[in-house]
């Protein structure tokens, strides 16, 4: 699937070229991504004319669904052929009649009980299948799950109420009072069971999974490329991709790292926010000759009431299994930010588990020159933000 963002435009707004106070809402479409292939089958009643008409139509390019004028829904239909009369979704069926029946739900199934309520009870499924097959069924074993399903009514312009459905993949075995032929089972398969079958609900298969045991085979992983060639443009593009992947991994590791740092008895929220603003300003300036964080901490030490707040605060660093004064922890983190040539900065910041992505042997991710400084300052800012938020939720008076 793909999600695209759009801006609402009336005809007059399109001519104007910009949004106004009355129009310009931002909305999104969640659509099927291009390049995918889907297969389907159309079950006919046997009329030769219908088959010929459908085959003549299923060989062109069409537009389906909504927002077609915006470029959505273009499809190409090809490869339509006439199948045999005994075609079924899960392959050939044993021709012998049998009293032992198992059914697999190939899609979510909506059925109602005698009171008219949606149900996932196996006995109600048994009653629905008994009515479809014209035989009395007794349930033997069941492997069933349920899930809520919804929908949308385009005529009403409103979502449908959610209903509880039997989940796709559920398997139930039955025993019939009389032998049921393969023709009866195939006819019931083509009809399906339950409600909203035209929307894809209620697809079933009889006697498909009839073995006592199945072995799961794991497909081998595709081999990793050893090289992407000697083209410098390809190598540079691959390195950019790997660097962006590394940035994403560092981002996740940084958030997790900040979550493991807890400040005990923190200073007032105004103090935490003031220092965080200083750190954010340092980040925006990229590089600064002034050490504003140390200047702030020196000013803190010069005022008795403020100094007592900061000296009382402790940092419980779960990632590094240590507890230190908040002032000392801030000084250590600031030291990492001010010395960009440290070889062990990842382990010192607690980001040592961040794996370096690579493609083959000649395309690897590279840290930018300011990565160490950025990660250290962002860690300080994130820890201070969490501490200030915690203080606000606790209702501490400043």
């Amino acid at each position: 699937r793909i999600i695209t963002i759009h801006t609402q435009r009336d005809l007059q707004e399109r001519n104007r070229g910009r949004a106004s106070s009355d129009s310009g809402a931002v909305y999104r479409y969640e659509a099927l991504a291009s390049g995918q292939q889907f297969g389907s089958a159309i079950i006919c009643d046997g009329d030769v004319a219908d088959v010929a008409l459908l085959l003549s139509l299923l060989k062109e390019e069409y537009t389906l669904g909504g927002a077609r004028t915006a470029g959505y829904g273009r499809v190409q239909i090809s490869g339509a052929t006439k199948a045999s009369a005994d075609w079924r979704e899960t392959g050939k069926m044993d021709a012998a009649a049998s009293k032992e029946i198992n059914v697999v739900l190939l899609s979510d199934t909506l059925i109602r009980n005698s009171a008219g309520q949606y149900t996932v009870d196996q006995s109600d499924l048994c009653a629905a299948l008994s009515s479809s097959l014209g035989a009395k069924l007794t349930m033997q074993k069941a492997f069933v799950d349920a899930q809520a399903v919804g929908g949308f009514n385009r005529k009403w312009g409103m979502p449908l109420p959610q209903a509880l459905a039997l989940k796709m993949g559920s398997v139930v075995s039955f025993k019939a009072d009389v032998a049921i032929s393969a023709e009866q089972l195939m006819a019931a398969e083509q009809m399906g069971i339950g409600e909203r079958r035209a929307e894809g609900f209620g697809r079933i298969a009889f006697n498909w999974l009839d073995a006592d045991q199945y072995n799961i085979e794991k497909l081998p992983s595709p081999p990793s490329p050893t090289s992407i060639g000697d083209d410098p443009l390809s190598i540079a593009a691959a390195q950019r991709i790997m660097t962006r992947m590394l940035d994403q991994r560092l981002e996740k590791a940084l958030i997790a790292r900040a979550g493991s740092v807890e400040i005990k008895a923190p200073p007032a929220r105004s103090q935490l926010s003031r220092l965080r603003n200083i750190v954010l300003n340092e980040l925006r300036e990229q590089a600064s000759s002034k050490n504003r964080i140390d200047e702030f901490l020196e000013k803190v030490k010069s005022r008795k009431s403020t100094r007592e707040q900061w000296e009382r605060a402790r940092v419980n660093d779960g990632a590094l299994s240590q507890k230190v004064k908040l002032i000392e922890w801030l000084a250590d983190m600031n030291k990492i930010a001010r010395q960009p040539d440290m070889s062990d900065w990842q382990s010192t910041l607690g980001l040592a588990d961040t794996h370096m992505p690579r493609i083959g042997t000649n395309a690897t991710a590279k840290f930018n020159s300011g990565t160490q400084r950025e990660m250290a300052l962002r860690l300080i800012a994130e820890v201070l933000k969490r501490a200030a938020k915690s203080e606000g939720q606790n209702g501490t008076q400043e």
Side-chain angles (χ1 to χ4, degrees), residues 254-285:
L254 181 71
I255 299 301
R257 174 76 174 84
S260 67
V261 178
E262 182 182 7
I263 299 180
K264 297 289 188 180
R269 187 167 51 161
S270 59
Q271 295 287 329
L272 296 171
S273 299
R274 190 173 297 120
L275 177 56
R276 182 171 180 267
N277 288 334
I278 293 174
V279 174
L280 293 177
N281 287 332
E282 288 274 323
L283 273 170
R284 295 188 190 100
E285 293 180 4

PDB file of all heavy atoms in Angstrom, residues 254-285:
ATOM      1  N   LEU A 254      18.757   6.340  20.191  1.00  0.00           N
ATOM      2  CA  LEU A 254      18.809   7.514  21.052  1.00  0.00           C
ATOM      3  C   LEU A 254      17.546   7.622  21.906  1.00  0.00           C
ATOM      4  O   LEU A 254      17.627   7.912  23.114  1.00  0.00           O
ATOM      5  CB  LEU A 254      18.977   8.769  20.192  1.00  0.00           C
ATOM      6  CG  LEU A 254      19.068  10.087  20.951  1.00  0.00           C
ATOM      7  CD1 LEU A 254      20.394  10.184  21.689  1.00  0.00           C
ATOM      8  CD2 LEU A 254      18.907  11.272  20.016  1.00  0.00           C
ATOM      9  N   ILE A 255      16.377   7.382  21.295  1.00  0.00           N
ATOM     10  CA  ILE A 255      15.122   7.447  22.057  1.00  0.00           C
ATOM     11  C   ILE A 255      15.107   6.373  23.146  1.00  0.00           C
ATOM     12  O   ILE A 255      14.697   6.627  24.286  1.00  0.00           O
ATOM     13  CB  ILE A 255      13.922   7.285  21.111  1.00  0.00           C
ATOM     14  CG1 ILE A 255      13.887   8.414  20.071  1.00  0.00           C
ATOM     15  CG2 ILE A 255      12.627   7.267  21.892  1.00  0.00           C
ATOM     16  CD1 ILE A 255      13.806   9.791  20.655  1.00  0.00           C
ATOM     17  N   ALA A 256      15.554   5.163  22.791  1.00  0.00           N
ATOM     18  CA  ALA A 256      15.608   4.097  23.791  1.00  0.00           C
ATOM     19  C   ALA A 256      16.605   4.425  24.891  1.00  0.00           C
ATOM     20  O   ALA A 256      16.369   4.146  26.073  1.00  0.00           O
ATOM     21  CB  ALA A 256      15.984   2.779  23.120  1.00  0.00           C
ATOM     22  N   ARG A 257      17.712   5.026  24.517  1.00  0.00           N
ATOM     23  CA  ARG A 257      18.747   5.395  25.499  1.00  0.00           C
ATOM     24  C   ARG A 257      18.223   6.452  26.460  1.00  0.00           C
ATOM     25  O   ARG A 257      18.422   6.353  27.677  1.00  0.00           O
ATOM     26  CB  ARG A 257      19.969   5.928  24.746  1.00  0.00           C
ATOM     27  CG  ARG A 257      21.069   6.485  25.645  1.00  0.00           C
ATOM     28  CD  ARG A 257      21.851   5.358  26.298  1.00  0.00           C
ATOM     29  NE  ARG A 257      22.974   5.885  27.042  1.00  0.00           N
ATOM     30  CZ  ARG A 257      22.910   6.349  28.287  1.00  0.00           C
ATOM     31  NH1 ARG A 257      21.753   6.310  28.943  1.00  0.00           N
ATOM     32  NH2 ARG A 257      23.977   6.820  28.892  1.00  0.00           N
ATOM     33  N   ALA A 258      17.523   7.462  25.940  1.00  0.00           N
ATOM     34  CA  ALA A 258      16.984   8.499  26.811  1.00  0.00           C
ATOM     35  C   ALA A 258      15.934   7.936  27.763  1.00  0.00           C
ATOM     36  O   ALA A 258      15.802   8.398  28.903  1.00  0.00           O
ATOM     37  CB  ALA A 258      16.382   9.627  25.968  1.00  0.00           C
ATOM     38  N   GLY A 259      15.199   6.919  27.293  1.00  0.00           N
ATOM     39  CA  GLY A 259      14.209   6.314  28.165  1.00  0.00           C
ATOM     40  C   GLY A 259      14.797   5.545  29.332  1.00  0.00           C
ATOM     41  O   GLY A 259      14.114   5.286  30.323  1.00  0.00           O
ATOM     42  N   SER A 260      16.073   5.155  29.224  1.00  0.00           N
ATOM     43  CA  SER A 260      16.726   4.413  30.315  1.00  0.00           C
ATOM     44  C   SER A 260      17.379   5.331  31.339  1.00  0.00           C
ATOM     45  O   SER A 260      17.906   4.860  32.342  1.00  0.00           O
ATOM     46  CB  SER A 260      17.784   3.462  29.729  1.00  0.00           C
ATOM     47  OG  SER A 260      18.853   4.199  29.158  1.00  0.00           O
ATOM     48  N   VAL A 261      17.370   6.644  31.089  1.00  0.00           N
ATOM     49  CA  VAL A 261      17.977   7.609  32.011  1.00  0.00           C
ATOM     50  C   VAL A 261      16.879   8.245  32.845  1.00  0.00           C
ATOM     51  O   VAL A 261      15.938   8.837  32.303  1.00  0.00           O
ATOM     52  CB  VAL A 261      18.771   8.692  31.238  1.00  0.00           C
ATOM     53  CG1 VAL A 261      19.360   9.711  32.215  1.00  0.00           C
ATOM     54  CG2 VAL A 261      19.872   8.054  30.417  1.00  0.00           C
ATOM     55  N   GLU A 262      16.985   8.148  34.140  1.00  0.00           N
ATOM     56  CA  GLU A 262      15.990   8.707  35.052  1.00  0.00           C
ATOM     57  C   GLU A 262      16.675   9.687  35.999  1.00  0.00           C
ATOM     58  O   GLU A 262      17.723   9.381  36.580  1.00  0.00           O
ATOM     59  CB  GLU A 262      15.306   7.592  35.843  1.00  0.00           C
ATOM     60  CG  GLU A 262      14.224   8.085  36.777  1.00  0.00           C
ATOM     61  CD  GLU A 262      13.603   6.972  37.591  1.00  0.00           C
ATOM     62  OE1 GLU A 262      14.120   5.830  37.514  1.00  0.00           O
ATOM     63  OE2 GLU A 262      12.623   7.225  38.308  1.00  0.00           O
ATOM     64  N   ILE A 263      16.085  10.863  36.141  1.00  0.00           N
ATOM     65  CA  ILE A 263      16.624  11.886  37.046  1.00  0.00           C
ATOM     66  C   ILE A 263      15.829  11.837  38.341  1.00  0.00           C
ATOM     67  O   ILE A 263      14.617  12.060  38.353  1.00  0.00           O
ATOM     68  CB  ILE A 263      16.550  13.285  36.413  1.00  0.00           C
ATOM     69  CG1 ILE A 263      17.378  13.324  35.125  1.00  0.00           C
ATOM     70  CG2 ILE A 263      17.043  14.339  37.388  1.00  0.00           C
ATOM     71  CD1 ILE A 263      17.357  14.663  34.429  1.00  0.00           C
ATOM     72  N   LYS A 264      16.524  11.538  39.432  1.00  0.00           N
ATOM     73  CA  LYS A 264      15.914  11.499  40.754  1.00  0.00           C
ATOM     74  C   LYS A 264      16.033  12.878  41.401  1.00  0.00           C
ATOM     75  O   LYS A 264      17.083  13.512  41.331  1.00  0.00           O
ATOM     76  CB  LYS A 264      16.620  10.464  41.636  1.00  0.00           C
ATOM     77  CG  LYS A 264      16.511   9.037  41.124  1.00  0.00           C
ATOM     78  CD  LYS A 264      15.101   8.491  41.279  1.00  0.00           C
ATOM     79  CE  LYS A 264      15.037   7.009  40.939  1.00  0.00           C
ATOM     80  NZ  LYS A 264      13.663   6.475  41.088  1.00  0.00           N
ATOM     81  N   ALA A 265      14.955  13.349  42.029  1.00  0.00           N
ATOM     82  CA  ALA A 265      14.906  14.658  42.684  1.00  0.00           C
ATOM     83  C   ALA A 265      15.396  15.751  41.751  1.00  0.00           C
ATOM     84  O   ALA A 265      16.376  16.450  42.039  1.00  0.00           O
ATOM     85  CB  ALA A 265      15.725  14.649  43.980  1.00  0.00           C
ATOM     86  N   PRO A 266      14.763  15.906  40.581  1.00  0.00           N
ATOM     87  CA  PRO A 266      15.257  16.876  39.599  1.00  0.00           C
ATOM     88  C   PRO A 266      15.056  18.314  40.061  1.00  0.00           C
ATOM     89  O   PRO A 266      14.236  18.585  40.951  1.00  0.00           O
ATOM     90  CB  PRO A 266      14.405  16.571  38.368  1.00  0.00           C
ATOM     91  CG  PRO A 266      13.143  16.014  38.920  1.00  0.00           C
ATOM     92  CD  PRO A 266      13.532  15.242  40.138  1.00  0.00           C
ATOM     93  N   PRO A 267      15.787  19.264  39.469  1.00  0.00           N
ATOM     94  CA  PRO A 267      15.560  20.682  39.765  1.00  0.00           C
ATOM     95  C   PRO A 267      14.184  21.118  39.282  1.00  0.00           C
ATOM     96  O   PRO A 267      13.435  20.339  38.685  1.00  0.00           O
ATOM     97  CB  PRO A 267      16.681  21.389  38.992  1.00  0.00           C
ATOM     98  CG  PRO A 267      17.675  20.336  38.679  1.00  0.00           C
ATOM     99  CD  PRO A 267      16.918  19.054  38.565  1.00  0.00           C
ATOM    100  N   ALA A 268      13.867  22.393  39.534  1.00  0.00           N
ATOM    101  CA  ALA A 268      12.577  22.917  39.094  1.00  0.00           C
ATOM    102  C   ALA A 268      12.456  22.824  37.578  1.00  0.00           C
ATOM    103  O   ALA A 268      13.455  22.863  36.853  1.00  0.00           O
ATOM    104  CB  ALA A 268      12.412  24.357  39.566  1.00  0.00           C
ATOM    105  N   ARG A 269      11.212  22.734  37.120  1.00  0.00           N
ATOM    106  CA  ARG A 269      10.991  22.570  35.690  1.00  0.00           C
ATOM    107  C   ARG A 269      11.518  23.759  34.891  1.00  0.00           C
ATOM    108  O   ARG A 269      11.991  23.608  33.771  1.00  0.00           O
ATOM    109  CB  ARG A 269       9.503  22.379  35.426  1.00  0.00           C
ATOM    110  CG  ARG A 269       9.196  22.041  33.987  1.00  0.00           C
ATOM    111  CD  ARG A 269       7.790  21.552  33.806  1.00  0.00           C
ATOM    112  NE  ARG A 269       6.809  22.451  34.409  1.00  0.00           N
ATOM    113  CZ  ARG A 269       5.510  22.459  34.087  1.00  0.00           C
ATOM    114  NH1 ARG A 269       5.066  21.615  33.187  1.00  0.00           N
ATOM    115  NH2 ARG A 269       4.675  23.277  34.664  1.00  0.00           N
ATOM    116  N   SER A 270      11.443  24.958  35.455  1.00  0.00           N
ATOM    117  CA  SER A 270      11.968  26.127  34.755  1.00  0.00           C
ATOM    118  C   SER A 270      13.460  26.018  34.535  1.00  0.00           C
ATOM    119  O   SER A 270      13.980  26.428  33.487  1.00  0.00           O
ATOM    120  CB  SER A 270      11.645  27.395  35.545  1.00  0.00           C
ATOM    121  OG  SER A 270      12.216  27.326  36.843  1.00  0.00           O
ATOM    122  N   GLN A 271      14.165  25.452  35.503  1.00  0.00           N
ATOM    123  CA  GLN A 271      15.611  25.266  35.354  1.00  0.00           C
ATOM    124  C   GLN A 271      15.926  24.245  34.262  1.00  0.00           C
ATOM    125  O   GLN A 271      16.812  24.443  33.428  1.00  0.00           O
ATOM    126  CB  GLN A 271      16.220  24.815  36.686  1.00  0.00           C
ATOM    127  CG  GLN A 271      16.135  25.821  37.814  1.00  0.00           C
ATOM    128  CD  GLN A 271      17.107  26.965  37.607  1.00  0.00           C
ATOM    129  OE1 GLN A 271      18.176  26.794  37.020  1.00  0.00           O
ATOM    130  NE2 GLN A 271      16.728  28.147  38.086  1.00  0.00           N
ATOM    131  N   LEU A 272      15.185  23.153  34.248  1.00  0.00           N
ATOM    132  CA  LEU A 272      15.404  22.130  33.226  1.00  0.00           C
ATOM    133  C   LEU A 272      15.102  22.680  31.828  1.00  0.00           C
ATOM    134  O   LEU A 272      15.859  22.437  30.874  1.00  0.00           O
ATOM    135  CB  LEU A 272      14.513  20.918  33.514  1.00  0.00           C
ATOM    136  CG  LEU A 272      14.788  20.149  34.808  1.00  0.00           C
ATOM    137  CD1 LEU A 272      13.690  19.124  35.056  1.00  0.00           C
ATOM    138  CD2 LEU A 272      16.139  19.459  34.756  1.00  0.00           C
ATOM    139  N   SER A 273      14.013  23.433  31.711  1.00  0.00           N
ATOM    140  CA  SER A 273      13.647  23.981  30.411  1.00  0.00           C
ATOM    141  C   SER A 273      14.655  25.015  29.938  1.00  0.00           C
ATOM    142  O   SER A 273      14.964  25.098  28.740  1.00  0.00           O
ATOM    143  CB  SER A 273      12.248  24.610  30.478  1.00  0.00           C
ATOM    144  OG  SER A 273      11.280  23.644  30.833  1.00  0.00           O
ATOM    145  N   ARG A 274      15.190  25.814  30.859  1.00  0.00           N
ATOM    146  CA  ARG A 274      16.175  26.826  30.467  1.00  0.00           C
ATOM    147  C   ARG A 274      17.429  26.168  29.916  1.00  0.00           C
ATOM    148  O   ARG A 274      17.956  26.581  28.880  1.00  0.00           O
ATOM    149  CB  ARG A 274      16.515  27.700  31.681  1.00  0.00           C
ATOM    150  CG  ARG A 274      17.335  28.939  31.338  1.00  0.00           C
ATOM    151  CD  ARG A 274      17.484  29.846  32.542  1.00  0.00           C
ATOM    152  NE  ARG A 274      16.185  30.349  32.980  1.00  0.00           N
ATOM    153  CZ  ARG A 274      15.662  30.144  34.184  1.00  0.00           C
ATOM    154  NH1 ARG A 274      16.307  29.425  35.079  1.00  0.00           N
ATOM    155  NH2 ARG A 274      14.487  30.653  34.500  1.00  0.00           N
ATOM    156  N   LEU A 275      17.906  25.117  30.574  1.00  0.00           N
ATOM    157  CA  LEU A 275      19.092  24.424  30.085  1.00  0.00           C
ATOM    158  C   LEU A 275      18.794  23.714  28.760  1.00  0.00           C
ATOM    159  O   LEU A 275      19.637  23.698  27.855  1.00  0.00           O
ATOM    160  CB  LEU A 275      19.580  23.417  31.128  1.00  0.00           C
ATOM    161  CG  LEU A 275      20.794  22.563  30.718  1.00  0.00           C
ATOM    162  CD1 LEU A 275      21.974  23.439  30.307  1.00  0.00           C
ATOM    163  CD2 LEU A 275      21.200  21.621  31.838  1.00  0.00           C
ATOM    164  N   ARG A 276      17.611  23.161  28.623  1.00  0.00           N
ATOM    165  CA  ARG A 276      17.265  22.496  27.362  1.00  0.00           C
ATOM    166  C   ARG A 276      17.250  23.488  26.202  1.00  0.00           C
ATOM    167  O   ARG A 276      17.692  23.162  25.090  1.00  0.00           O
ATOM    168  CB  ARG A 276      15.899  21.814  27.498  1.00  0.00           C
ATOM    169  CG  ARG A 276      15.481  21.044  26.250  1.00  0.00           C
ATOM    170  CD  ARG A 276      14.242  20.218  26.506  1.00  0.00           C
ATOM    171  NE  ARG A 276      13.851  19.500  25.302  1.00  0.00           N
ATOM    172  CZ  ARG A 276      12.973  19.968  24.408  1.00  0.00           C
ATOM    173  NH1 ARG A 276      12.372  21.140  24.622  1.00  0.00           N
ATOM    174  NH2 ARG A 276      12.689  19.274  23.321  1.00  0.00           N
ATOM    175  N   ASN A 277      16.760  24.698  26.425  1.00  0.00           N
ATOM    176  CA  ASN A 277      16.779  25.717  25.371  1.00  0.00           C
ATOM    177  C   ASN A 277      18.209  26.061  24.969  1.00  0.00           C
ATOM    178  O   ASN A 277      18.495  26.284  23.787  1.00  0.00           O
ATOM    179  CB  ASN A 277      16.046  26.969  25.844  1.00  0.00           C
ATOM    180  CG  ASN A 277      14.541  26.769  25.918  1.00  0.00           C
ATOM    181  OD1 ASN A 277      13.992  25.923  25.209  1.00  0.00           O
ATOM    182  ND2 ASN A 277      13.888  27.521  26.772  1.00  0.00           N
ATOM    183  N   ILE A 278      19.104  26.098  25.925  1.00  0.00           N
ATOM    184  CA  ILE A 278      20.513  26.357  25.620  1.00  0.00           C
ATOM    185  C   ILE A 278      21.074  25.232  24.750  1.00  0.00           C
ATOM    186  O   ILE A 278      21.795  25.474  23.770  1.00  0.00           O
ATOM    187  CB  ILE A 278      21.325  26.512  26.924  1.00  0.00           C
ATOM    188  CG1 ILE A 278      20.905  27.781  27.657  1.00  0.00           C
ATOM    189  CG2 ILE A 278      22.821  26.515  26.640  1.00  0.00           C
ATOM    190  CD1 ILE A 278      21.534  27.947  29.018  1.00  0.00           C
ATOM    191  N   VAL A 279      20.743  23.989  25.091  1.00  0.00           N
ATOM    192  CA  VAL A 279      21.236  22.847  24.319  1.00  0.00           C
ATOM    193  C   VAL A 279      20.686  22.882  22.897  1.00  0.00           C
ATOM    194  O   VAL A 279      21.406  22.640  21.922  1.00  0.00           O
ATOM    195  CB  VAL A 279      20.850  21.530  25.023  1.00  0.00           C
ATOM    196  CG1 VAL A 279      21.237  20.329  24.160  1.00  0.00           C
ATOM    197  CG2 VAL A 279      21.521  21.436  26.383  1.00  0.00           C
ATOM    198  N   LEU A 280      19.397  23.207  22.750  1.00  0.00           N
ATOM    199  CA  LEU A 280      18.796  23.280  21.418  1.00  0.00           C
ATOM    200  C   LEU A 280      19.422  24.399  20.586  1.00  0.00           C
ATOM    201  O   LEU A 280      19.610  24.256  19.375  1.00  0.00           O
ATOM    202  CB  LEU A 280      17.285  23.479  21.536  1.00  0.00           C
ATOM    203  CG  LEU A 280      16.501  22.309  22.141  1.00  0.00           C
ATOM    204  CD1 LEU A 280      15.021  22.653  22.266  1.00  0.00           C
ATOM    205  CD2 LEU A 280      16.672  21.041  21.312  1.00  0.00           C
ATOM    206  N   ASN A 281      19.751  25.513  21.215  1.00  0.00           N
ATOM    207  CA  ASN A 281      20.438  26.585  20.494  1.00  0.00           C
ATOM    208  C   ASN A 281      21.812  26.130  20.026  1.00  0.00           C
ATOM    209  O   ASN A 281      22.257  26.477  18.922  1.00  0.00           O
ATOM    210  CB  ASN A 281      20.563  27.822  21.380  1.00  0.00           C
ATOM    211  CG  ASN A 281      19.232  28.541  21.558  1.00  0.00           C
ATOM    212  OD1 ASN A 281      18.363  28.472  20.684  1.00  0.00           O
ATOM    213  ND2 ASN A 281      19.051  29.209  22.686  1.00  0.00           N
ATOM    214  N   GLU A 282      22.497  25.352  20.839  1.00  0.00           N
ATOM    215  CA  GLU A 282      23.788  24.793  20.439  1.00  0.00           C
ATOM    216  C   GLU A 282      23.630  23.896  19.215  1.00  0.00           C
ATOM    217  O   GLU A 282      24.450  23.920  18.303  1.00  0.00           O
ATOM    218  CB  GLU A 282      24.393  23.994  21.598  1.00  0.00           C
ATOM    219  CG  GLU A 282      24.911  24.832  22.742  1.00  0.00           C
ATOM    220  CD  GLU A 282      26.343  25.301  22.505  1.00  0.00           C
ATOM    221  OE1 GLU A 282      27.131  24.526  21.933  1.00  0.00           O
ATOM    222  OE2 GLU A 282      26.625  26.451  22.860  1.00  0.00           O
ATOM    223  N   LEU A 283      22.563  23.110  19.192  1.00  0.00           N
ATOM    224  CA  LEU A 283      22.325  22.234  18.047  1.00  0.00           C
ATOM    225  C   LEU A 283      22.059  23.038  16.773  1.00  0.00           C
ATOM    226  O   LEU A 283      22.534  22.678  15.692  1.00  0.00           O
ATOM    227  CB  LEU A 283      21.129  21.321  18.338  1.00  0.00           C
ATOM    228  CG  LEU A 283      21.419  20.005  19.060  1.00  0.00           C
ATOM    229  CD1 LEU A 283      20.128  19.342  19.477  1.00  0.00           C
ATOM    230  CD2 LEU A 283      22.235  19.073  18.183  1.00  0.00           C
ATOM    231  N   ARG A 284      21.290  24.115  16.904  1.00  0.00           N
ATOM    232  CA  ARG A 284      20.954  24.908  15.717  1.00  0.00           C
ATOM    233  C   ARG A 284      22.170  25.589  15.124  1.00  0.00           C
ATOM    234  O   ARG A 284      22.269  25.753  13.907  1.00  0.00           O
ATOM    235  CB  ARG A 284      19.902  25.947  16.085  1.00  0.00           C
ATOM    236  CG  ARG A 284      18.561  25.353  16.503  1.00  0.00           C
ATOM    237  CD  ARG A 284      17.515  26.435  16.655  1.00  0.00           C
ATOM    238  NE  ARG A 284      16.308  25.900  17.285  1.00  0.00           N
ATOM    239  CZ  ARG A 284      16.014  26.056  18.568  1.00  0.00           C
ATOM    240  NH1 ARG A 284      16.845  26.733  19.366  1.00  0.00           N
ATOM    241  NH2 ARG A 284      14.899  25.542  19.075  1.00  0.00           N
ATOM    242  N   GLU A 285      23.101  25.993  15.960  1.00  0.00           N
ATOM    243  CA  GLU A 285      24.267  26.718  15.471  1.00  0.00           C
ATOM    244  C   GLU A 285      25.337  25.805  14.891  1.00  0.00           C
ATOM    245  O   GLU A 285      26.347  26.294  14.386  1.00  0.00           O
ATOM    246  CB  GLU A 285      24.862  27.550  16.611  1.00  0.00           C
ATOM    247  CG  GLU A 285      23.944  28.680  17.065  1.00  0.00           C
ATOM    248  CD  GLU A 285      24.557  29.482  18.201  1.00  0.00           C
ATOM    249  OE1 GLU A 285      25.716  29.184  18.566  1.00  0.00           O
ATOM    250  OE2 GLU A 285      23.879  30.389  18.712  1.00  0.00           O
TER     251      GLU A 285
END
